[in-house]
């Protein structure tokens, strides 16, 4: 057992307590950040004259060597230490002697871990942002290729009005664009450095917190030492934003699963992103989409876990906060995998334009347009709605559609219908005439695509 404390103890820690308390099994992934933070701290101690130049140099070189050796495999992280911070300090001291023992001057593991986690999360925020950008590029490509691919739009999962695949995917473009904005917001709010807060009350050493903040690319030091060591808001914000990303991916997955079903056959998922059945030879299952949908629950769980950990904690640091790591790491890892797999799957999906168009023609998706047509002929909308309702019922009985019904039969219901009705309810008209900004008509969509291309530049 190797720990940083023990002076005031007369007994060995119970083995189970030691294992229960230790975090090295999961916080070892903060090694790089721990070293980055320690380098900045040592450089600042040197600049302030708290360490000699010689000591500062030794510490800095020692830390760099540890990072290099762990990377190359020459040094293996020894999990008998309590946490990554203890491990780094112990190896440093073993390698460079007395100077190593001075590194922790004016610092506590409380501000140290607060810093490490922020440095690590900062990278995760940027990584998720980049991955979302990649996903948006794929969505944009499919949109550009499908401005005229008609499909039914649904409400209540019932066919509602026709639109295009480009328009449908545009909805997801908007969602993931907002997800990226959330990443940017979180970054701006979290980018302040907690190092120098000490255990909770700062320190009497003349630390230069502006300097360490600047060295590590923060916008400045945090302004309250108690908050600095006990704030996990930035993690909660990130986990919330990740939950929303997953919610979006899950809805999209759900649609892909439906579209991929035998009943719809709107799409075909590539073999590389499908799996088979051990018993039913005909099966090709959308497992990736299903797993993304399933893993959404897990990321929500991580958010709820941390919210619950934090809700009853008095200021300042409490060991409960160590629980932030596994929840956060699990969410980061899950979301990254999900975006990568989902992007690959989407990029290789084959869209069955014929099936989509055929489906858009059926199901009376042009009924609203038939009513609008009557309004154009001077019929009040409420009355037009009722006439077309009767027309739909008639078509259902005759097993036909509005656009296939002869004019003479339409006249049984209303004599306001004329020859131009067929053009008014054609699939092409129904989609192309919807030209308000945000609507599926080609001209409207092209303007939006222009904005999207610019945005992704
Ligand atoms: N492993 C701890 C954590 O993740 C590091 C901070 C320990 N601080 C303490 N006062 N015991 O929170």
């Amino acid at each position: 057992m190797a720990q940083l404390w023990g002076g005031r103890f007369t007994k060995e820690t119970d083995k189970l307590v030691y294992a229960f308390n230790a975090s090295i099994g999961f916080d070892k992934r903060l090694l790089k950040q721990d070293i980055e933070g320690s380098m900045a701290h040592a450089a600042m101690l040197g600049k302030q004259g708290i360490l000699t130049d010689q000591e500062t140099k030794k510490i800095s070189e020692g830390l760099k060597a540890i990072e290099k050796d762990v990377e190359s495999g020459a040094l293996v992280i020894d999990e008998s230490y309590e946490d990554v911070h203890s491990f780094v300090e112990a190896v440093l001291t073993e390698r460079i002697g007395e100077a190593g023992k001075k590194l922790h001057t004016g610092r506590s593991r409380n501000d140290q871990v607060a810093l490490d986690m922020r440095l690590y999360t900062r990278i995760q925020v940027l990584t998720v942002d980049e991955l979302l950008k990649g996903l948006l590029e794929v969505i944009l490509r499919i949109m550009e290729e499908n401005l005229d691919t008609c499909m039914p739009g649904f409400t209540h999962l019932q066919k509602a009005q026709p639109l295009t695949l480009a328009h449908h995917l545009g909805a997801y473009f908007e969602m993931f664009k907002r997800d990226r904005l959330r990443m940017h917001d979180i970054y701006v709010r979290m980018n302040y450095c907690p190092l120098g807060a000490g255990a909770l009350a700062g320190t009497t050493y003349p630390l230069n917190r502006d300097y360490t903040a600047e060295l590590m690319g923060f916008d400045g030091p945090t302004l309250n030492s108690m908050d600095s060591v006990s704030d996990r808001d930035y993690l909660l914000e990130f986990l919330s934003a990740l939950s929303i990303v997953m919610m979006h991916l899950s809805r999209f997955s759900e649609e892909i699963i439906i579209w991929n079903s035998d009943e719809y056959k709107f799409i075909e998922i590539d073999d590389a992103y499908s799996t088979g059945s051990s018993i039913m030879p005909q099966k090709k299952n959308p497992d990736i989409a299903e797993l993304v949908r399933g893993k959404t629950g897990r990321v929500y769980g991580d958010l709820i876990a941390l919210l619950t950990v934090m809700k009853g904690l008095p200021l300042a640091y409490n060991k409960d906060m160590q629980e932030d790591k596994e929840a956060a790491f699990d969410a980061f890892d899950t979301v990254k995998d999900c975006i990568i797999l989902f992007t690959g799957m989407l990029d290789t999906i084959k869209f069955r334009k014929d099936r989509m168009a055929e489906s858009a023609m059926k199901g009376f998706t042009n009924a609203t347009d038939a009513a609008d047509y009557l309004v154009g002929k001077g019929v009040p909308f409420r009355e037009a709605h009722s006439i077309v309702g009767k027309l739909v019922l008639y078509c259902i009985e005759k097993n036909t559609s509005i656009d296939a019904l002869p004019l003479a039969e339409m006249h049984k219901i209303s004599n306001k219908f004329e020859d131009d009705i067929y053009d008014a309810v054609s699939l092409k008209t129904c989609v192309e005439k919807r030209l308000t900004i945000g609507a599926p008509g080609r001209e409207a969509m092209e303007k939006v695509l222009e904005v999207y291309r610019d945005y992704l530049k």
Side-chain angles (χ1 to χ4, degrees):
M1 291 190 209
Q3 51 208 19
L4 294 171
W5 39 271
R8 64 104 67 213
F9 288 78
T10 54
K11 263 192 183 175
E12 280 277 304
T13 319
D14 180 276
K15 272 203 181 61
L16 286 179
V17 170
Y18 190 82
F20 191 64
N21 187 53
S23 53
I24 192 155
F26 46 88
D27 68 19
K28 62 185 174 190
R29 74 157 87 186
L30 297 175
L31 183 111
K32 254 175 128 56
Q33 288 69 39
D34 198 67
I35 288 178
E36 181 186 352
S38 288
M39 302 254 290
H41 185 63
M44 181 276 296
L45 291 177
K47 184 178 157 74
Q48 301 300 97
I50 302 168
L51 293 179
T52 66
D53 288 349
Q54 169 91 36
E55 287 165 337
T56 308
K57 189 162 173 264
K58 266 183 138 175
I59 290 175
S60 153
E61 284 170 358
L63 288 168
K64 262 190 240 156
I66 293 174
E67 183 177 352
K68 226 179 93 210
D69 291 350
V70 170
E71 247 165 39
S72 74
L75 174 65
V76 178
I77 297 181
D78 177 354
E79 295 200 19
S80 70
Y81 284 92
E82 183 185 339
D83 51 32
V84 70
H85 326 294
S86 322
F87 169 74
V88 172
E89 196 180 312
V91 176
L92 182 71
T93 304
E94 199 181 287
R95 289 182 171 191
I96 70 167
E98 283 304 297
K101 293 186 190 165
K102 296 191 179 178
L103 169 63
H104 209 52
T105 310
R107 188 175 68 169
S108 156
R109 273 184 300 164
N110 296 353
D111 60 343
Q112 187 175 0
V113 78
L115 170 67
D116 292 4
M117 203 53 191
R118 252 179 222 240
L119 287 170
Y120 186 85
T121 306
R122 212 166 58 165
I123 300 169
Q124 303 309 309
V125 172
L126 295 177
T127 306
V128 170
D129 180 56
E130 264 314 293
L131 290 174
L132 286 173
K133 183 167 185 238
L135 174 56
L136 285 174
E137 279 160 359
V138 170
I139 295 177
L140 181 61
R141 198 251 315 144
I142 301 172
M143 287 177 74
E144 279 169 333
E145 291 168 7
N146 289 284
L147 281 169
D148 299 313
T149 306
C150 287
M151 65 177 286
F154 298 85
T155 62
H156 314 269
L157 205 53
Q158 309 266 338
K159 283 182 200 176
Q161 290 176 339
L163 34 80
T164 65
L165 179 58
H167 187 252
H168 193 119
L169 293 195
Y172 286 102
F173 195 100
E174 287 292 320
M175 293 179 230
F176 294 120
K177 185 159 66 97
R178 286 195 297 272
D179 286 332
R180 289 191 72 200
L181 279 172
R182 272 183 275 274
M183 296 302 144
H184 299 180
D185 289 348
I186 291 167
Y187 193 96
V188 168
R189 243 187 320 279
M190 73 176 282
N191 200 31
Y192 292 89
C193 184
L195 186 65
L200 76 164
T203 134
T204 53
Y205 292 102
L207 303 187
N208 185 339
R209 294 194 60 209
D210 288 305
Y211 182 64
T212 39
E214 195 191 314
L215 278 182
M216 291 180 282
F218 286 103
D219 292 324
T222 51
L223 297 184
N224 180 287
S225 60
M226 290 186 88
D227 180 55
S228 308
V229 293
S230 49
D231 167 32
R232 298 293 182 271
D233 290 6
Y234 71 95
L235 274 179
L236 290 169
E237 282 191 39
F238 189 36
L239 293 183
S240 311
L242 291 181
S243 296
I244 298 176
V245 170
M246 289 304 294
M247 181 269 288
H248 291 151
L249 285 174
S250 186
R251 293 183 77 177
F252 206 164
S253 293
E254 170 72 7
E255 299 209 297
I256 284 174
I257 293 161
I258 293 173
W259 293 354
N260 187 60
S261 69
D262 277 343
E263 286 66 27
Y264 276 73
K265 282 202 182 81
F266 281 7
I267 60 170
E268 198 180 322
I269 299 176
D270 197 76
D271 276 3
Y273 288 91
S274 306
T275 50
S277 156
S278 61
I279 176 168
M280 297 168 281
Q282 84 282 14
K283 292 277 262 180
K284 197 176 126 183
N285 297 327
D287 287 30
I288 298 307
E290 289 173 5
L291 276 172
V292 169
R293 190 177 58 183
K295 283 174 192 289
T296 302
R298 173 173 176 154
V299 175
Y300 289 4
D302 293 325
L303 168 65
I304 299 299
L306 187 56
L307 278 169
T308 312
V309 164
M310 295 305 294
K311 74 176 269 295
L313 299 188
L315 294 179
Y317 179 82
N318 301 269
K319 190 69 171 222
D320 315 44
M321 288 176 180
Q322 178 166 286
E323 290 293 312
D324 65 351
K325 279 165 214 69
E326 283 163 295
F329 295 158
D330 182 68
F332 304 164
D333 293 348
T334 305
V335 174
K336 274 185 281 182
D337 284 352
C338 286
I339 303 175
I340 291 169
L341 270 295
F342 189 94
T343 303
M345 175 182 66
L346 185 67
D347 200 22
T348 50
I349 279 178
K350 251 206 241 84
F351 292 93
R352 304 265 318 257
K353 301 184 185 189
D354 53 328
R355 291 277 311 166
M356 290 182 164
E358 192 191 327
S359 171
M361 310 248 262
K362 291 184 189 147
F364 304 100
T365 59
N366 52 6
T368 313
D369 293 86
D372 287 343
Y373 166 88
L374 290 176
V375 170
K377 301 280 174 190
V379 182
F381 181 77
R382 202 37 69 209
E383 205 175 304
H385 186 286
S386 163
I387 293 170
V388 177
K390 287 185 189 121
L391 192 67
V392 167
L393 192 62
Y394 183 85
C395 288
I396 292 172
E397 278 161 8
K398 300 270 164 181
N399 193 24
T400 182
S401 58
I402 299 176
D403 38 283
L405 198 66
L407 200 56
E409 288 186 58
M410 286 193 195
H411 284 163
K412 288 185 191 167
I413 291 158
S414 167
N415 56 15
K416 295 280 178 192
F417 291 113
E418 291 170 45
D419 269 337
D420 53 352
I421 177 67
Y422 297 104
D423 185 47
V425 298
S426 77
L427 194 54
K428 199 165 141 51
T429 314
C430 289
V431 174
E432 274 187 7
K433 284 238 173 103
R434 294 193 145 76
L435 289 175
T436 47
I437 196 74
R442 182 178 245 280
E443 270 171 55
M445 284 294 298
E446 265 167 0
K447 281 181 206 147
V448 171
L449 284 185
E450 213 35 59
V451 177
Y452 288 176
R453 275 184 219 109
D454 238 35
Y455 162 78
L456 283 180
K457 245 183 234 154

